[in-house]
Amino acid sequence: LTPELFAVLTSPAYAAAERVFPWLLVNQLMILMQYPVGIGLYLRKRTGLLALVYVGGLAINLATGVGLVRWAGSTGAAMAWCASNAAITAVTWVIGQRLYPLRWSPARFLAVAAGGSVLLYVGASAAGQVWSVATIVRAAVGAVLVAGCGWLVLLRLAVPGPHLGAVPHNGEGGLG
């Protein structure tokens, strides 16, 4: 985010948070993903495992936070928080898949992860810079990746699949 864009999205009081902001966005994404990736824990009534996962995430946050805060200050704290939530999401997904395997597309996951990584790079590297050709190119590449990921999602939604719970009409089939 360049100073101009960040100024449009926030008030001047938040100018110091410009370098932290991209990490907080990715962190929020990881938090939002924890429920869907852990659906198996809920379906198998094993939510007690989440306490262990969260304690592990806290340990990762503390272990990485010390060095990252010394190295990058408040941005390092956001990076450590993001790393711990990424680990929580990954472990929750692994446990959820073992308890209740769900189909997923590694290619689509990697496409979204790559797009998100590019956007994080763009946001973190453009902080404090005035709009330049390089910044505009990076932002355009990020926008193209996001659009491509959206296109993949729309393609997936357009594929007809079996209709679960379909009810026969006009007395055709059914329980008689």
Side-chain angles (χ1 to χ4, degrees):
L1 297 172
T2 62
E4 294 86 356
L5 182 58
F6 198 75
V8 169
L9 297 174
T10 65
S11 72
Y14 292 101
E18 185 178 12
R19 294 196 183 278
V20 175
F21 190 68
W23 292 101
L24 296 178
L25 288 177
V26 174
N27 185 56
Q28 186 61 32
L29 174 66
M30 292 295 104
I31 291 170
L32 290 171
M33 288 300 299
Q34 287 170 16
Y35 175 75
V37 300
I39 194 71
L41 284 108
Y42 298 96
L43 292 173
R44 295 289 186 206
K45 299 181 181 181
R46 300 290 306 273
T47 55
L49 294 172
L50 289 172
L52 297 172
V53 173
Y54 291 136
V55 168
L58 174 63
I60 290 170
N61 193 350
L62 294 174
T64 59
V66 172
L68 287 171
V69 167
R70 286 185 183 153
W71 176 64
S74 59
T75 303
M79 293 164 81
W81 192 27
C82 185
S84 67
N85 273 304
I88 289 169
T89 302
V91 170
T92 302
W93 178 78
V94 168
I95 294 171
Q97 280 295 101
R98 288 181 183 221
L99 292 173
Y100 194 92
L102 298 172
R103 285 186 357 179
W104 66 287
S105 169
R108 287 190 182 103
F109 175 80
L110 291 174
V112 171
S117 297
V118 168
L119 290 176
L120 176 61
Y121 171 76
V122 168
S125 65
Q129 298 177 14
V130 179
W131 285 92
S132 66
V133 173
T135 302
I136 292 169
V137 168
R138 287 190 299 234
V141 168
V144 167
L145 283 172
V146 168
C149 292
W151 180 71
L152 287 173
V153 169
L154 290 175
L155 277 178
R156 176 66 181 143
L157 293 175
V159 173
H163 299 288
L164 300 177
V167 178
H169 296 287
N170 300 328
E172 301 169 6
L175 298 175

